[in-house]
Amino acid sequence: MPSKNIKTSGFSLAKGKELKGDDYYDIKSIGDLTVAIVCDGVGSALEGAQAAKRTTNYLINNLKQKPKTWSIEKSLKSFISSINSILYEESQIDYERSELVTTLSIVIIQGNRLYGANVGDSRVYLHREDSLIQLSSDHVLDEEGFEGVLTHAIGIEKTTEPYYFENIVQKDDKILLCSDGLYTVMDEKSIAENLILGSHSLIKKASKSQKDNLPDDTTAVIVEILKVHERDELMLQNLPIPESLHAGEIIDGYVLDKSLIQNNRTWLCTKKTKQYVIKFAPFECRESEVELDLFVKEAWNAKRLKANFFPKAVIPKNRTQRYYVMQLFKGEDLNEFLEHRHITIDDTVELAKTLLNMTQFLVKNDLVHGDIKPNNIMIAKDDNENLEFKIIDFGSITEIFSSVTKAGTPSFLSPERFKGESISESSEIFSIGVTLYLSLTGKYPYGEIEPFQNPSFKEAKKPSFYNNNIPHWLDSVILRSISIEKVRRYSHYSEMQYEIKYPQKVKPFFRKDATLMERSPLSFYKGGFIIMTLINFALLIWMNA
């Protein structure tokens, strides 16, 4: 959730008349994540304050560098386990006992979802509609006479198992993280009543209740949800999904003219003499929240990703059914175009530039298209009779480095995608390369691959083998982009973009097993000449011996 949709505050007071306590907290925005942490250094330990600070900083720094393929749950559990091991091992070396010890409570908010974990007795509460609910779980003994004695804390044992939880947040929710110093002097009713004033006022209220002589360090961090993310708002809208649609039907002023796809969910429509494309949510969205989330994500991406290589899209504010509307791009897809005519070298270069500009634009939003192929490229002529390209299919757009996406068409997937590797710039470049190869030659570099097939990739022929108009530099660019070996392929869009822009700087690309004759005819003949000269010289000496 963007930080503008969230308000945060944090405050801490040391116990009694002390100037500095053992508690430590931090609040950070990391990309689309809001992270809040409270650590309560165990007072009976020599290095409790240091443990609290180090744990907080360690988690913040590692979340900044978290692998994009890791879920938040995996990240939290892994990083908590790591800092626990580090502090425990250091304590054993320096003190031969556990002295770097702290409790931990942490929450991460992404979109409308809250992820949290705690170790020890620092708590996490959710305040909603005048109710205060504890989300965390105290790791303390409940035996009489031992109340409040910790059973788990960071650094106390070699391994630790945090209590992990997830929840959906709503507008006006407040999440409170606090050390035990707060809830031992204020009951939940008092906390709920004073939460609205912010963390500073809440802690001051707690201090005042103890005549400004707090028995323990006391810390509170409050995260307030001011507004739900737009995508989450779209998800929460209670809109009907029509089971069937028919020509002539009028929905919110849009007259359905003709179904464009066999499933009858995408239609050519007319409103006030203008034509558009309207796409309805699949009927399966009625029963499946996963399918509904995918459609909402598609519509949201279509609306927000504004660039000249995408058709314009809107989600009408007062719609009465679940759909979105796109600009009608009059033309045909590249696959249809190639069935009755060829694409020129200049147009292919322009297509490559369009695809690379599109992928560069998406990667700035941590996204990839996911299904680059001729069927998803619309083509038409502009006013100057030049070919113009638009990229379609917002439904395939997904997060870069996603390892769970099923996006993509087999004939355009890189070899590593068939092995379950995550989608990346390199795998998208492979799809671009196959699209260019097919556009120029009418053939797939590795043959047409059927769904569920486990293909074996053999070296592709040069595109110029089928089309001798292709210049050597473009041959090399395409072959490098579709290299079977990932290490020989472009790693980033910018690398391929540079060579498309400056063809004179393109280095020849050869198969790995290419002979010297293929790689460098001049060197081959020079070498042959030298060898023959040496042989003749040796024969001359032998004959005169």
Side-chain angles (χ1 to χ4, degrees):
M1 184 176 290
S3 56
K4 65 181 180 180
N5 294 340
I6 286 179
K7 179 181 177 182
T8 62
S9 64
F11 191 65
S12 184
L13 274 180
K15 65 182 179 180
K17 304 300 179 183
E18 294 186 17
L19 299 176
K20 193 173 182 181
D22 292 335
D23 288 3
Y24 195 83
Y25 74 88
D26 201 358
I27 310 161
K28 284 284 189 294
S29 290
I30 304 172
D32 64 342
L33 307 179
T34 296
V35 182
I37 300 174
V38 168
C39 284
D40 178 0
V42 174
S44 60
L46 293 176
E47 300 291 353
Q50 184 189 156
K53 184 176 182 179
R54 286 182 60 186
T55 298
T56 302
N57 291 338
Y58 182 90
L59 293 175
I60 291 290
N61 290 333
N62 277 271
L63 285 167
K64 287 178 180 177
Q65 303 170 54
K66 127 181 146 56
K68 293 196 174 183
T69 55
W70 282 22
S71 67
I72 292 179
E73 179 180 359
K74 180 178 180 179
S75 300
L76 277 175
K77 290 181 176 179
S78 297
F79 299 151
I80 290 171
S81 177
S82 294
I83 187 60
N84 178 79
S85 296
I86 291 168
L87 297 183
Y88 176 81
E89 294 297 337
E90 281 191 27
S91 286
Q92 301 311 308
I93 292 170
D94 294 342
Y95 301 100
E96 297 184 352
R97 61 185 182 275
S98 297
E99 294 293 352
L100 284 158
V101 182
T102 182
T103 68
L104 163 71
S105 62
I106 177 171
V107 296
I108 298 175
I109 298 173
Q110 181 183 48
N112 70 336
R113 186 165 288 273
L114 178 148
Y115 306 84
N118 79 282
V119 182
D121 60 358
S122 290
R123 290 182 179 177
V124 179
Y125 290 98
L126 173 64
H127 182 264
R128 178 181 294 169
E129 296 175 354
D130 299 324
S131 294
L132 191 68
I133 304 159
Q134 184 178 338
L135 303 180
S136 57
S137 179
D138 295 342
H139 295 136
V140 295
L141 291 173
D142 56 5
E143 298 176 23
E144 189 176 347
F146 294 93
E147 296 89 346
V149 175
L150 291 173
T151 57
H152 294 297
I154 300 293
I156 203 169
E157 294 179 335
K158 192 170 186 178
T159 60
T160 191
E161 185 66 34
Y163 177 78
Y164 176 80
F165 54 91
E166 291 185 22
N167 291 90
I168 300 296
V169 292
Q170 302 174 8
K171 183 178 180 294
D172 298 326
D173 279 353
K174 296 176 184 64
I175 298 97
L176 167 68
L177 295 82
C178 64
S179 59
D180 65 332
L182 179 65
Y183 63 79
T184 53
V185 300
M186 289 182 78
D187 59 28
E188 291 187 356
K189 183 182 177 183
S190 298
I191 292 173
E193 289 172 350
N194 291 279
L195 194 62
I196 193 170
L197 301 174
S199 56
H200 184 273
S201 294
L202 181 63
I203 296 298
K204 286 289 189 178
K205 190 80 173 179
S207 180
K208 189 176 180 180
S209 72
Q210 303 300 305
K211 298 181 180 179
D212 292 329
N213 188 28
L214 287 166
D216 195 2
D217 301 331
T218 306
T219 299
V221 167
I222 298 173
V223 180
E224 183 177 356
I225 310 301
L226 302 177
K227 181 182 177 184
V228 178
H229 193 283
E230 182 184 5
R231 177 179 157 187
D232 303 315
E233 284 183 333
L234 292 172
M235 186 74 178
L236 294 170
Q237 288 177 344
N238 186 21
L239 292 169
I241 297 170
E243 184 173 353
S244 61
L245 298 156
H246 56 83
E249 190 171 351
I250 302 174
I251 297 172
D252 299 336
Y254 295 98
V255 181
L256 303 188
D257 297 327
K258 182 176 71 173
S259 176
L260 298 177
I261 298 179
Q262 198 171 8
N263 65 6
N264 286 336
R265 307 310 287 182
T266 305
W267 287 74
L268 178 67
C269 66
T270 305
K271 186 173 186 179
K272 295 180 180 178
T273 72
K274 279 194 172 184
Q275 286 191 306
Y276 305 91
V277 173
I278 186 169
K279 185 167 184 180
F280 293 87
F283 186 66
E284 294 78 15
C285 292
R286 282 184 168 188
E287 304 296 330
S288 171
E289 190 167 325
V290 172
E291 291 294 327
L292 178 58
D293 184 61
L294 287 173
F295 181 78
V296 168
K297 178 181 173 184
E298 174 185 339
W300 180 62
N301 278 331
K303 178 194 172 189
R304 74 186 180 110
L305 297 174
K306 300 184 186 299
N308 59 7
F309 29 76
F310 292 133
K312 293 176 182 176
V314 295
I315 303 173
K317 286 184 178 179
N318 298 316
R319 59 185 177 155
T320 59
Q321 297 188 25
R322 197 171 282 279
Y323 64 84
Y324 69 96
V325 180
M326 288 179 287
Q327 164 195 15
L328 175 64
F329 185 72
K330 293 184 178 179
E332 56 188 331
D333 70 48
L334 180 56
N335 194 54
E336 294 170 336
F337 182 91
L338 294 172
E339 287 177 1
H340 54 82
R341 70 188 84 173
H342 294 294
I343 189 169
T344 67
I345 303 300
D346 287 343
D347 287 334
T348 303
V349 170
E350 193 57 37
L351 171 60
K353 289 178 179 177
T354 301
L355 290 171
L356 288 165
N357 286 336
M358 181 269 294
T359 50
Q360 285 273 46
F361 173 80
L362 288 178
V363 83
K364 289 176 182 176
N365 292 281
D366 293 325
L367 298 171
V368 289
H369 184 275
D371 197 16
I372 296 170
K373 60 181 179 181
N375 301 74
N376 287 332
I377 300 166
M378 296 299 294
I379 187 169
K381 289 186 177 180
D382 63 18
D383 296 337
N384 297 317
E385 292 298 301
N386 297 317
L387 290 187
E388 184 181 13
F389 303 99
K390 295 277 186 186
I391 318 301
I392 60 172
D393 193 4
F394 292 103
S396 64
I397 292 174
T398 190
E399 290 74 20
I400 192 168
F401 303 122
S402 171
S403 57
V404 295
T405 179
K406 295 180 181 177
T409 301
S411 298
F412 298 84
L413 293 182
S414 60
E416 65 271 14
R417 290 287 309 281
F418 286 96
K419 297 174 184 176
E421 281 194 28
S422 58
I423 196 166
S424 64
E425 286 189 52
S426 180
S427 64
E428 289 286 273
I429 285 167
F430 185 93
S431 300
I432 292 173
V434 174
T435 298
L436 299 179
Y437 192 107
L438 184 62
S439 299
L440 285 167
T441 68
K443 298 182 182 297
Y444 292 95
Y446 303 107
E448 193 165 3
I449 301 169
E450 298 296 328
F452 309 110
Q453 184 180 341
N454 189 16
S456 57
F457 290 85
K458 296 179 181 178
E459 291 289 346
K461 287 184 170 65
K462 289 182 178 181
S464 57
F465 177 85
Y466 302 107
N467 181 348
N468 56 21
N469 291 319
I470 298 172
H472 294 307
W473 72 268
L474 189 53
D475 245 357
S476 292
V477 167
I478 294 173
L479 286 173
R480 184 173 281 111
S481 68
I482 61 169
S483 171
I484 298 169
E485 295 178 89
K486 191 175 177 181
V487 293
R488 302 189 72 212
R489 199 185 310 150
Y490 298 108
S491 297
H492 301 288
Y493 305 131
S494 56
E495 297 170 354
M496 186 175 181
Q497 207 168 34
Y498 180 83
E499 297 207 333
I500 289 286
K501 189 175 181 180
Y502 300 105
Q504 70 277 14
K505 296 188 178 182
V506 175
K507 294 180 181 178
F509 184 86
F510 300 100
R511 299 191 321 270
K512 202 171 182 181
D513 60 350
T515 63
L516 179 62
M517 176 65 178
E518 291 174 294
R519 289 176 179 273
S520 178
L522 182 60
S523 297
F524 175 82
Y525 287 119
K526 275 185 178 179
F529 176 77
I530 292 169
I531 291 169
M532 289 301 298
T533 300
L534 291 173
I535 291 172
N536 288 333
F537 184 69
L539 285 172
L540 184 63
I541 293 173
W542 179 74
M543 291 175 65
N544 291 327

